[in-house]
Amino acid sequence: MDLSVSGSVARFSAPVDRGAAGLARDFVRRTLGDLRYLGDHSDVVLVVSELVSNALRHTATAPLIRLSGDARRLRIEVVDGSPVPPRLRLSASVGGWGLQLVQQLATDWGAHPEPGGKVVWCEMAAETGTP
């Protein structure tokens, strides 16, 4: 499912260091407010943190985060400089749970090549039911 989100895209280039995930979380919190996204912000922050951490762990490049959406839907993209696609692991003794978490929290996710690397993306949606 590709939501074809309209509107502008917010971008953030994370540094290649230990503080990258924290800076990415700060960027996401600010951007979700600007987008007026009604979904669970903590889930989005967690997903972005996992995707950025994966990009830093498996590549030597600065990840680029792209967020777009509106009050009901959100598309998250993390671009890195490795052409190697992510692999969902069914079990691991240490680490390897990040993509399972993304799969559980997102409505859909995937990856595709981009010049110089790849994009790992996911889509999230706010609950549409009434309280």
Side-chain angles (χ1 to χ4, degrees), residues 3-4 9 12-13 16 19 25 33 35 39-40 45 53 55 68 80 86 90 92 100-101 108 113 121 129:
L3 292 177
S4 300
V9 176
F12 174 72
S13 292
V16 182
R25 290 189 293 269
L35 294 173
D40 189 331
V45 169
S53 294
S68 59
D80 66 48
L90 298 179
Q100 286 190 35
L101 181 82
D108 199 10
W121 59 268

Side-chain angles (χ1 to χ4, degrees), residues 24-84:
R25 290 189 293 269
D26 292 343
F27 161 74
V28 169
R29 287 183 191 104
R30 284 190 314 273
T31 303
L32 290 176
D34 293 343
L35 294 173
R36 301 175 199 252
Y37 181 64
L38 297 173
D40 189 331
H41 288 201
S42 61
D43 284 353
V44 177
V45 169
L46 181 58
V47 164
V48 169
S49 186
E50 286 295 330
L51 293 177
V52 167
S53 294
N54 283 350
L56 290 168
R57 184 176 297 115
H58 299 292
T59 75
T61 61
L64 170 66
I65 301 143
R66 297 188 293 226
L67 291 181
S68 59
D70 55 32
R72 295 272 175 214
R73 17 182 228 177
L74 184 68
R75 181 165 176 106
I76 302 161
E77 298 179 341
V78 176
V79 182
D80 66 48
S82 170
V84 178

